[in-house]
Amino acid sequence: MINYPGGSGKKTAPVHKTSASNRGMNLEKDINQSNQFYLDTDRAVIHKKPTPVTIVKVDYPKRSAAKITEAYFKIPSTTDYNGIYRGKYIDFEAKECALKTSFPLKSIHPHQVTHLESVMRHGAIAFVIVRFTHLDETMLVPADRMAAFIHETERSSIPYSWFQDNGYAVPSSYQAPVDYLKTVDQVYFQNKNTEEVSS
Amino acid sequence: MINYPGGSGKKTAPVHKTSASNRGMNLEKDINQSNQFYLDTDRAVIHKKPTPVTIVKVDYPKRSAAKITEAYFKIPSTTDYNGIYRGKYIDFEAKECALKTSFPLKSIHPHQVTHLESVMRHGAIAFVIVRFTHLDETMLVPADRMAAFIHETERSSIPYSWFQDNGYAVPSSYQAPVDYLKTVDQVYFQNKNTEEVSS
């Protein structure tokens, strides 16, 4: 018997398959858990917005909850996450990227870029969290840098090397699997720099 | 022929009936239009959050959009509206009230009161917009005052007279039917007071 590559032989290791509908769910789960930890410890109030849907038909059965029987997904006009931290309005989008060498720009909707630029003009802390799943690497990219790149480029993706130059590593802890507020402190409040200077 | 009260005689005037499912929709529509005007004129970025639903079943028909065929309404854990204005995080809930003399406290979910208190601790501008539909009167009530009343009272409603003492009138204009940022300026930025003092 011949073991074809990827065949069903004895040696096939378990593969974590990410279906299209499940894509990005791990990062979302990790961020939600981190936000819950921030909320429980009263460090910040940041929530994921509900998925926008257009509700077409609702049944009101007697003695039970209203049931939506026809609805469609809407294109989001804003980002998924916003809230308040250290007195500042905070706004971001989060995306998982399965590719190793680049981040496809179609992952971020133009409406969302426009939204991030709008909130920045009004004084927000705005960024994108990108997780390169193959590298298990999670980065925070300030929205102004990403928007500038998107406006200037004619490419359909951002190379991974650009993220190495423009992104900041997001640490992980047991209670906050995506502990992005540590990175926010470093990038926007320069806590770390102050510590480095004083030592 | 006897015309019974509310009967179908000649003289019955058209009555604007507000069904349970439609209740509060006019205020929502007016606020959404105002937010769009604020966005178009780059005055603020404030959006209504999508209605939170738990999606149970989705059909993926070939060659057409994914169709949600089973979903249920979730109790919201936050308020409906948030965003940024003059560099500050802004957060509020909006409620229509059909009663003339009081506002039923069951209109506002305890989760929402907790949420408003959390964001206030972090430096947010937080309030509730209440419209008394019979009086066609729209008021902004700072969330700290409403939360204090709710915690102290054993009543199941807030009397209208309390709103007269603690609320601020929200003006209306053609482009912003609920021009609440004018009231926010007055209450939280004291623009009007400054003008009054300097005149």
Side-chain angles (χ1 to χ4, degrees):
Chain A
M1 185 192 158
I2 299 164
N3 273 333
Y4 290 99
S8 56
K10 274 181 194 171
K11 289 193 173 180
T12 47
V15 177
H16 291 280
K17 281 187 187 166
T18 307
S19 75
S21 61
N22 199 36
R23 204 187 292 150
M25 290 303 281
N26 291 324
L27 179 59
E28 182 183 321
K29 210 177 117 237
D30 287 352
I31 293 176
N32 288 348
Q33 192 182 324
S34 306
N35 285 343
Q36 188 60 51
F37 173 66
Y38 295 149
L39 196 64
D40 292 344
T41 53
D42 205 25
R43 205 160 146 221
V45 184
I46 298 160
H47 287 274
K48 185 185 179 294
K49 292 187 191 173
T51 305
V53 296
T54 305
I55 296 166
V56 176
K57 219 182 275 175
V58 184
D59 274 1
Y60 296 93
K62 278 184 187 163
R63 276 186 280 276
S64 59
K67 181 180 173 183
I68 299 160
T69 55
E70 187 180 349
Y72 298 92
F73 294 101
K74 264 198 287 197
I75 293 170
S77 53
T78 69
T79 48
D80 270 358
Y81 303 88
N82 74 358
I84 186 167
Y85 175 56
R86 294 176 72 165
K88 301 283 274 181
Y89 174 83
I90 199 161
D91 195 302
F92 63 98
E93 184 60 30
K95 290 290 173 198
E96 281 198 16
C97 176
L99 303 178
K100 282 179 202 177
T101 57
S102 69
F103 173 85
L105 283 178
K106 68 175 196 302
S107 305
I108 300 222
H109 199 275
H111 281 166
Q112 297 182 315
V113 177
T114 305
H115 172 76
L116 287 167
E117 291 179 303
S118 296
V119 295
M120 278 189 287
R121 273 199 306 279
H122 290 274
I125 292 175
F127 51 88
V128 178
I129 293 178
V130 175
R131 174 178 286 174
F132 288 94
T133 50
H134 278 84
L135 304 159
D136 198 21
E137 198 174 353
T138 308
M139 288 191 213
L140 180 154
V141 185
D144 52 346
R145 294 195 200 172
M146 194 179 260
F149 184 92
I150 289 171
H151 290 309
E152 283 159 23
T153 195
E154 292 187 1
R155 305 173 58 130
S156 61
S157 64
I158 308 181
Y160 173 70
S161 60
W162 184 89
F163 285 93
Q164 288 180 300
D165 294 339
N166 292 279
Y168 298 89
V170 177
S172 179
S173 69
Y174 176 70
Q175 288 165 306
V178 180
D179 199 358
Y180 63 90
L181 289 186
K182 278 214 182 105
T183 315
V184 167
D185 282 341
Q186 188 191 331
V187 177
Y188 296 94
F189 293 96
Q190 292 168 321
N191 271 14
K192 301 275 163 163
N193 291 351
T194 314
E195 278 166 34
E196 276 162 21
V197 167
S198 64
S199 65
Chain B
M1 187 193 158
I2 298 163
N3 273 333
Y4 290 101
S8 57
K10 275 183 195 171
K11 290 194 171 178
T12 47
V15 177
H16 292 281
K17 281 187 187 168
T18 306
S19 75
S21 62
N22 198 37
R23 202 187 292 150
M25 290 303 282
N26 292 325
L27 179 59
E28 182 183 320
K29 209 177 117 238
D30 286 353
I31 292 176
N32 288 349
Q33 192 182 325
S34 306
N35 285 344
Q36 188 59 52
F37 173 67
Y38 295 151
L39 196 65
D40 292 345
T41 53
D42 205 24
R43 205 161 146 219
V45 184
I46 299 161
H47 287 274
K48 186 186 180 292
K49 291 187 193 174
T51 305
V53 297
T54 306
I55 297 165
V56 177
K57 219 181 276 175
V58 184
D59 274 0
Y60 296 93
K62 280 183 187 164
R63 277 187 279 276
S64 59
K67 181 182 175 183
I68 299 160
T69 55
E70 187 180 351
Y72 299 92
F73 294 101
K74 265 198 286 196
I75 293 170
S77 53
T78 68
T79 48
D80 271 357
Y81 302 88
N82 74 359
I84 186 167
Y85 176 56
R86 294 176 72 166
K88 302 282 275 179
Y89 174 83
I90 200 162
D91 195 301
F92 64 98
E93 184 60 32
K95 290 290 172 198
E96 281 197 357
C97 176
L99 303 178
K100 281 179 202 177
T101 58
S102 68
F103 174 84
L105 282 178
K106 68 175 196 300
S107 306
I108 299 223
H109 200 274
H111 281 166
Q112 297 181 315
V113 177
T114 305
H115 172 76
L116 287 167
E117 291 179 303
S118 296
V119 296
M120 278 189 287
R121 273 199 307 278
H122 290 272
I125 291 175
F127 51 87
V128 179
I129 293 177
V130 175
R131 174 177 285 173
F132 288 94
T133 50
H134 279 85
L135 304 158
D136 198 21
E137 198 175 350
T138 307
M139 288 191 214
L140 180 155
V141 185
D144 53 345
R145 293 194 201 174
M146 194 178 259
F149 184 91
I150 290 171
H151 291 308
E152 284 159 22
T153 196
E154 293 187 2
R155 304 173 59 130
S156 62
S157 65
I158 308 181
Y160 173 71
S161 59
W162 184 89
F163 285 92
Q164 288 180 300
D165 294 339
N166 292 280
Y168 298 87
V170 176
S172 180
S173 71
Y174 176 69
Q175 288 165 305
V178 180
D179 199 359
Y180 62 91
L181 289 186
K182 279 215 181 105
T183 315
V184 167
D185 281 342
Q186 186 190 334
V187 177
Y188 295 94
F189 294 95
Q190 292 168 322
N191 271 14
K192 300 275 164 162
N193 290 351
T194 313
E195 278 168 31
E196 276 163 19
V197 166
S198 63
S199 65

